[in-house]
């Protein structure tokens, strides 16, 4: 297993002890697409797409999706968190094992799932506080103002109620605008929406897709090149690549992303995070 920068109690203590002033947000990389966000004390803290178990490979030992590093936190360690946001139902984003364990110990956490995930509520989540997220219908979790945005993974898909299966999230907290794309490719609609939102920080996947992964049922994402081009096209201040580090058969070398930015967009701010790292963004 890969060595971690910070995990367990030291990581959790850092989250609790981090004090965030005005016009600042702190965030931590939990691996894959997992991002923990913290605003001022009265804003609280939320987490997006936490995969904090090894449930995929434990459920199916033949799965090619085997973690390159151990979970940074145990799900129950997030018992005080205000919200968990899920972008879509794939197991590395909606990990029911993580959600169920957390729901057993937390009474104040709101679990935000895409509306088509409603049938999953009966699987151990019936007593949890659930918010079914629908594209373009804004809501709040404590000091976090959140608006779901449709994602194309790799096409826009809706259920019989016309609710999108795949979502990203526009998040505003403490004067900072954040876009977490979830899993998506780029579309003209996405460029239009994100450009209008004017994010300060964007978390974007860079693992891309190809014929052979697609033939094995692995659905594609932005490539490193597309994520860089997209960041510049929509006017992101700081771009943070995600979805490149956890599964050896479905990841990308982030050095390619950095190299492409260096040659094509040397003025574009970026940060490549390691699992367990904290970043403090000051506007």
């Amino acid at each position: 297993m890969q060595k971690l920068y910070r995990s367990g109690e030291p990581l959790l203590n850092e989250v609790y002890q981090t004090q965030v002033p005005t016009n600042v947000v702190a965030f931590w990389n939990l691996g894959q697409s997992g991002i923990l966000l913290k605003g001022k004390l009265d804003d609280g803290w939320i987490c997006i797409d936490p995969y904090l178990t090894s449930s995929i490979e434990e459920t199916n030992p033949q799965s090619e999706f085997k973690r390159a590093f151990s979970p940074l936190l145990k799900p129950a360690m997030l018992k005080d968190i205000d919200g968990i946001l899920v972008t879509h139902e794939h197991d590395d984003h909606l990990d029911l094992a993580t959600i169920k364990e957390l729901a057993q110990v937390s009474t104040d956490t709101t679990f935000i799932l895409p509306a088509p995930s409603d049938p999953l509520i009966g699987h151990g989540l019936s007593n949890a506080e659930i918010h079914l997220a629908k594209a373009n219908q804004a809501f709040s979790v404590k000091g976090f103002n959140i608006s779901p945005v449709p994602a194309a993974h790799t096409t826009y898909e809706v259920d019989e109620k016309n609710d999108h299966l795949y979502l990203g999230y526009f998040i505003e907290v403490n004067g900072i605008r954040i876009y977490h794309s979830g899993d998506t490719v780029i579309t003209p609609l996405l460029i239009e929406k994100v450009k209008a939102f004017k994010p300060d920080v964007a978390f974007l996947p860079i693992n891309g897709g190809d014929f052979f992964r697609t033939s094995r049922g692995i659905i594609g994402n932005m490539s490193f090149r597309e994520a860089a081009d997209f960041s510049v096209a929509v006017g992101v201040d700081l771009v943070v690549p995600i979805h490149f580090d956890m599964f050896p058969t479905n990841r990308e070398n982030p050095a390619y992303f950095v190299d492409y930015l260096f040659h094509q967009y040397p003025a574009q701010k970026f940060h490549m995070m390691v699992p367990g790292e904290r970043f403090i963004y000051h506007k």
Side-chain angles (χ1 to χ4, degrees):
M1 280 285 186
Q2 174 181 320
K3 184 178 180 180
L4 294 170
Y5 172 72
R6 183 171 288 120
S7 62
E9 290 294 343
L11 173 58
L12 188 65
N13 289 337
E14 182 179 71
V15 174
Y16 279 119
Q17 293 169 10
T18 297
Q19 298 183 15
V20 178
T22 302
N23 292 327
V24 171
V25 67
F27 52 85
W28 288 260
N29 175 25
L30 300 184
Q32 192 68 341
S33 293
I35 297 293
L36 191 153
L37 296 164
K38 185 177 183 181
K40 299 195 308 293
L41 182 61
D42 56 353
D43 293 324
W45 51 315
I46 63 173
C47 188
I48 307 164
D49 285 353
Y51 178 48
L52 301 179
T53 70
S54 299
S55 62
I56 297 175
E57 56 200 273
E58 290 172 356
T59 301
N60 178 16
Q62 304 307 313
S63 172
E64 65 178 281
F65 291 102
K66 293 179 169 59
R67 300 185 62 114
F69 50 89
S70 300
L72 281 83
L73 297 168
K74 295 179 180 178
M77 298 176 81
L78 295 179
K79 62 183 178 63
D80 296 324
I81 201 163
D82 296 294
I84 298 292
L85 277 65
V86 172
T87 60
H88 61 286
E89 288 186 18
H90 290 158
D91 292 340
D92 54 328
H93 299 263
L94 173 53
D95 178 29
L96 283 174
T98 291
I99 299 299
K100 288 178 183 178
E101 183 176 333
L102 177 55
Q104 290 175 355
V105 297
S106 175
T107 58
D108 298 321
T109 302
T110 301
F111 297 90
I112 295 95
L113 309 176
S117 302
D118 190 18
L120 295 173
I121 295 175
H123 295 273
L125 300 179
S126 56
N127 295 323
E129 183 176 345
I130 303 291
H131 176 88
L132 296 177
K134 300 185 178 185
N136 308 313
Q137 293 188 14
F139 60 93
S140 296
V141 175
K142 211 166 182 182
F144 289 82
N145 299 314
I146 302 165
S147 181
V149 58
H153 189 28
T154 54
T155 60
Y156 292 113
E157 295 186 41
V158 297
D159 66 5
E160 66 280 359
K161 298 179 181 178
N162 209 37
D163 291 322
H164 282 266
L165 275 66
Y166 308 115
L167 297 173
Y169 291 104
F170 292 154
I171 302 169
E172 297 184 62
V173 62
N174 196 23
I176 309 297
R177 291 173 174 253
I178 300 158
Y179 171 51
H180 190 296
S181 70
D183 280 1
T184 192
V185 297
I186 300 168
T187 69
L189 177 63
L190 187 66
I191 292 175
E192 176 186 335
K193 285 183 171 293
V194 179
K195 193 172 184 178
F197 180 63
K198 300 178 181 178
D200 300 300
V201 181
F203 298 99
L204 304 177
I206 64 167
N207 64 304
D210 55 57
F211 172 83
F212 292 100
R213 279 184 288 173
T214 300
S215 68
R216 301 199 306 274
I218 301 174
I219 304 176
N221 270 320
M222 296 183 197
S223 69
F224 70 86
R225 183 189 298 262
E226 289 171 323
D229 292 340
F230 178 81
S231 300
V232 175
V234 300
V236 172
D237 183 44
L238 175 74
V239 57
V240 180
I242 56 174
H243 210 290
F244 64 83
D245 56 3
M246 186 173 290
F247 300 117
T249 60
N250 187 32
R251 63 183 180 184
E252 183 58 274
N253 185 342
Y256 300 155
F257 175 77
V258 175
D259 183 72
Y260 185 71
L261 281 176
F262 174 74
H263 286 97
Q264 300 297 323
Y265 309 111
Q268 175 62 53
K269 286 166 55 180
F270 71 92
H271 186 71
M272 189 194 80
M273 301 188 76
V274 298
E277 179 186 355
R278 177 186 66 182
F279 189 96
I280 297 178
Y281 177 85
H282 188 185
K283 187 172 182 178

